[in-house]
Amino acid sequence: MSSKIKVQGSKLPFVLVNMAMTADGKIATANHAVSSFGSARDRERLLQLRATADAVMTGARTVNSAPIILGPGPSRFRRLRLKNGLAEHNLRVIVSGSGLVNPRAEIFRHRFSPVIVLTTRRASPAKLHQLRAVADAVKICGKYNINLRAALGWLRRKWGVNRLLCEGGGELNAALFRAGLVAELHLTVCPKIFGGREAPTIAGGRGFRRLAEAAPLQIKSFKRIGDEIFAAFIVRRTK
Ligand SMILES: NC(=O)c1ccc[n+]([C@@H]2O[C@H](COP(=O)([O-])OP(=O)(O)OC[C@H]3O[C@@H](n4cnc5c(N)ncnc54)[C@H](OP(=O)(O)O)[C@@H]3O)[C@@H](O)[C@H]2O)c1
């Protein structure tokens, strides 16, 4: 993408979700031991997408279960970000209602850009103290669950986040879909079956109960490369 990134005039960021899943829709094995299974090309596309976003966001379980740092990647992607009119490094956002984010998680060891933790009043004073020592900002956005609409509004106002890339996991994605906040879903379908009733999928949570509630998607692009399928969907507005 060579032109500057366009953003809409909303008070909320434009939210993209990007996930790699197996052919049976799993994003990790049931024991969470395997969660990275895409090809080098999938990784390349992930970094290209990050290069269009002001901030990258994930749920607490994703940060706690793998050594991820959510950075822009090699210098060519940082140059792409600058070309796209963005800061050289994306902001990083962690969502945790309980505040039970491991303060020793890999993400806090890499200080190239601010790490912001969104949490709720469920987080204990001790936990908040711990997180404030390692994160650049800790924002309480709700009593029990995070009010994602309010949180995203704050990210836009306070941190200038116009485009937000959510990279899972399924619990966080589901909450975003439920709140009607997702504009695009980017999916890589990888040639594997994980199985496992407990294995997370791209949208977990309680799920919708009626067909009429399901998030309606429209295909934006679709491509097979090697044995992977790269698809992008627009989430149609229902209201
Ligand atoms: N294949 C892929 O592309 C991919 C991408 C990402 C992750 N993964 C894998 O997926 C697994 C994790 O997925 P997951 O679905 O189990 O967990 P997740 O979405 O990463 O994290 C869930 C946690 O996020 C917090 N959260 C999410 N929505 C919230 C809300 N509305 N309000 C308050 N807190 C909220 C909660 O934290 P608290 O419990 O602290 O309240 C919740 O327990 C890991 O194995 C990870 O490696 C795979």
Side-chain angles (χ1 to χ4, degrees), residues 83-161:
K83 208 167 163 188
N84 285 338
L86 301 173
E88 185 178 356
H89 296 89
N90 55 273
L91 299 171
R92 296 166 292 161
V93 181
I94 304 169
V95 176
S96 172
S98 68
L100 293 176
V101 182
N102 181 358
R104 280 184 282 278
E106 193 66 24
I107 192 167
F108 298 117
R109 296 174 195 258
H110 301 258
R111 310 306 312 185
F112 50 80
S113 71
V115 179
I116 299 162
V117 177
L118 305 177
T119 189
T120 68
R121 277 188 250 154
R122 271 194 291 137
S124 68
K127 228 30 238 176
L128 288 174
H129 181 73
Q130 251 185 354
L131 287 175
R132 284 187 179 122
V134 291
D136 297 273
V138 178
K139 173 76 173 166
I140 297 177
C141 312
K143 196 173 170 187
Y144 191 81
N145 282 321
I146 288 168
N147 179 335
L148 286 166
R149 184 170 291 271
L152 266 49
W154 176 79
L155 284 174
R156 174 127 195 203
R157 283 192 312 277
K158 170 85 182 169
W159 292 89
V161 177

Side-chain angles (χ1 to χ4, degrees), residues 18-22 26-29 31-37 42 58-66 68 95-101 118-120 122 144-148 167-176 200-205:
N18 182 58
M19 300 298 290
M21 68 175 200
T22 60
K26 311 297 190 187
I27 60 167
T29 49
N31 62 2
H32 289 234
V34 181
S35 60
S36 182
F37 46 87
D42 175 53
T58 67
R61 224 172 285 140
T62 296
V63 168
N64 287 342
S65 64
I68 56 166
V95 176
S96 172
S98 68
L100 293 176
V101 182
L118 305 177
T119 189
T120 68
R122 271 194 291 137
Y144 191 81
N145 282 321
I146 288 168
N147 179 335
L148 286 166
E167 296 186 7
E171 201 76 31
L172 176 58
N173 293 344
L176 287 168
T201 67
I202 65 161

